[in-house]
Amino acid sequence: MPDLSRIKEREKLKPKAGDEPHWQRLRQGCYLGFRPSKKGKRGTWFARAYDPDGNKYRRKSLGDYGALSGHDVFSQAKVDAEGWTETVESGGERARDMVTVKDACEAYLAEKPGAIAEGVFRRHVYSDPIARVKLDKLRRHHLRSWRKRLEEAPALLTRSKKGEKRWKERAKSTVNRDMVPLRAALGQVLKPGAPNTDAAWQEALRPFKGADKRRELYLDRDERKRMIEAFDGEALPFVKALCLLPLRPGALASLTVRDFDKRTRSLTIGKDKNDNPRQISLPQVIADFFTEQVKGKMPAAPIFTRGGGEAWNKDAWKYPIKEAVKVAGLPLAASAYTLRHSVITDLIRARLPILTVAQLSGTSVAMIEKHYGHLVRDDAEEALASIAF
């Protein structure tokens, strides 16, 4: 662990994957953390304390202490971390400035920054009456009302090149995903209420069962090759990478040059759905492809860039893929996620262990079994048939 009290040692620290702070143990169950700024600013301090009631560690952002300098910064951060730890250990009292649901959401983002959670809070929480409800007054009926408004809110289907928006009814699976950030934010500051009472705020945020349907649209290797051949623009490298690795499009778009080590043929996926960085080894043929993409680029630059040098996003990759799908004569419903699903399907069909597929794709074994278990069952039937006589 670094010695955060030493200014020179602190200045040498580099940002860690997933924006995880560098931690220093102050005493048992009490840690002080420092996260260097990627933009050359002062950096942010954090406290981490063990909560005996919840049997887990809790974190709190302490800020950058902009009014202090030199050794005073560490001294004050240490005092604040130890004071907050005593508060947590004595019963988990919330910070005095955390009063409303909105405060809890903002505190959650300060500790766990993420575009998905930030977007959900901005669209469905901050402008909603739930944002102003005080945490100590929050009840199940508040969240039931919020959930009803969420379910009734139309979901954006697509936006044409002329700017026209199209909407559709919000699917249960979408509702499930949109409830996750709020449930996580409240779970950090509130204990679950007694079951079947109005104090049981958590019961209103239970996900719909069976809402996540299995993806059925699959493109085989020849169809994916036809799709790649239909590209003639800047999207080609990005889409080809989607056909080579079982990564989420957003995770692939977030990769920077420093995430790829051509000497060891390893790729670090830092920004993904579960926010847990992971490293995968690439075969030589895919490593050669990535080597070509990073050539001449700075370490902080995206591996896959658009014409202006910026990273890809869902609004940018959507239309080139739709156009290529039409040109290649493929099902019009095919999308970037169809490619991920198809690659995972092929890996399962190749009899790669489910655990390995889960690690490569950044998901759980349970999710792989849920959505692709039927492929394993089919292979099991073929294996049994082959030994029958």
Side-chain angles (χ1 to χ4, degrees):
M1 289 186 178
D3 184 352
L4 299 179
S5 67
R6 298 179 179 273
I7 298 176
K8 290 186 178 179
E9 185 171 344
R10 204 163 63 226
E11 291 175 343
K12 293 179 181 179
L13 297 176
K14 303 295 183 183
K16 299 177 69 174
D19 290 329
E20 179 69 14
H22 295 269
W23 295 103
Q24 177 177 338
R25 185 177 184 271
L26 301 179
R27 63 173 174 79
Q28 184 176 357
C30 176
Y31 292 81
L32 179 62
F34 178 72
R35 185 170 67 201
S37 172
K38 296 179 180 179
K39 299 181 180 180
K41 297 182 180 180
R42 295 175 61 94
T44 306
W45 293 84
F46 292 84
R48 186 173 72 183
Y50 180 73
D51 179 3
D53 292 333
N55 194 28
K56 62 180 180 181
Y57 277 91
R58 297 190 180 278
R59 293 201 323 190
K60 175 181 172 60
S61 173
L62 302 176
D64 63 2
Y65 295 99
L68 302 177
S69 60
H71 295 288
D72 293 337
V73 177
F74 174 83
S75 298
Q76 187 61 52
K78 181 175 180 293
V79 169
D80 291 345
E82 291 173 335
W84 182 73
T85 298
E86 290 178 2
T87 301
V88 171
E89 292 174 340
S90 64
E93 181 182 353
R94 294 187 299 274
R96 292 179 182 178
D97 58 349
M98 192 181 300
V99 178
T100 66
V101 170
K102 182 179 180 181
D103 294 334
C105 294
E106 291 176 341
Y108 177 79
L109 286 178
E111 294 185 16
K112 297 184 177 180
I116 294 178
E118 183 180 2
V120 170
F121 293 153
R122 185 180 65 253
R123 292 189 300 270
H124 303 298
V125 177
Y126 294 158
S127 59
D128 188 271
I130 194 71
R132 299 187 296 275
V133 177
K134 294 184 177 181
L135 292 168
D136 56 2
K137 301 292 184 181
L138 187 65
R139 298 293 182 266
R140 183 174 57 182
H141 72 269
H142 291 122
L143 290 167
R144 279 181 172 174
S145 298
W146 174 80
R147 177 173 180 157
K148 188 174 186 296
R149 292 190 292 272
L150 177 66
E151 293 174 8
E152 294 175 348
L156 181 62
L157 179 60
T158 185
R159 181 186 287 111
S160 71
K161 293 181 179 180
K162 296 181 180 179
E164 179 185 358
K165 296 181 180 180
R166 294 172 55 202
W167 306 85
K168 66 177 181 178
E169 182 179 351
R170 188 171 297 272
K172 290 183 178 179
S173 58
T174 305
V175 173
N176 282 351
R177 288 192 294 271
D178 287 344
M179 289 192 298
V180 170
L182 181 57
R183 188 165 60 235
L186 295 177
Q188 282 201 336
V189 296
L190 295 177
K191 296 180 180 179
N196 301 316
T197 68
D198 200 38
W201 60 269
Q202 72 281 358
E203 293 181 349
L205 299 180
R206 286 176 178 169
F208 287 111
K209 292 184 178 181
D212 295 320
K213 297 180 180 178
R214 192 169 67 205
R215 293 181 181 271
E216 300 292 348
L217 183 55
Y218 164 78
L219 302 179
D220 61 29
R221 291 182 64 189
D222 289 338
E223 289 173 322
R224 300 200 296 273
K225 185 177 180 181
R226 278 164 43 202
M227 183 177 178
I228 291 175
E229 292 172 347
F231 282 93
D232 58 0
E234 61 186 13
L236 176 58
F238 178 73
V239 175
K240 184 174 180 180
L242 284 174
C243 295
L244 294 175
L245 295 172
L247 302 182
R248 295 179 180 86
L252 185 68
S254 298
L255 292 175
T256 61
V257 173
R258 65 164 59 95
D259 293 325
F260 173 61
D261 189 336
K262 62 182 179 182
R263 297 170 301 173
T264 59
R265 292 186 283 109
S266 61
L267 184 67
T268 301
I269 296 89
K271 294 184 179 180
D272 206 352
K273 188 174 182 179
N274 55 17
D275 290 329
N276 290 325
R278 67 187 189 281
Q279 191 174 84
I280 61 177
S281 297
L282 303 179
Q284 190 64 56
V285 61
I286 298 181
D288 290 343
F289 168 73
F290 271 79
T291 300
E292 188 65 28
Q293 303 311 310
V294 303
K295 189 177 298 182
K297 295 180 180 178
M298 299 296 290
I303 293 180
F304 302 98
T305 56
R306 297 154 63 189
E310 64 271 25
W312 286 91
N313 58 56
K314 63 180 180 181
D315 291 325
W317 71 58
K318 179 165 54 179
Y319 295 112
I321 289 179
K322 283 184 176 293
E323 187 62 30
V325 165
K326 291 179 182 178
V327 172
L330 300 173
L332 297 181
S335 64
Y337 264 89
T338 303
L339 299 178
R340 167 178 155 87
H341 164 69
S342 301
V343 172
I344 293 176
T345 299
D346 283 353
L347 293 176
I348 295 291
R349 278 297 190 194
R351 291 180 170 80
L352 195 65
I354 286 182
L355 176 59
T356 304
V357 176
Q359 292 170 337
L360 288 173
S361 56
T363 190
S364 66
V365 170
M367 289 301 293
I368 292 293
E369 290 179 336
K370 177 180 178 180
H371 294 283
Y372 300 92
H374 63 291
L375 300 177
V376 178
R377 289 193 293 272
D378 291 345
D379 290 340
E381 290 179 5
E382 292 179 10
L384 289 173
S386 68
I387 62 175
F389 56 88

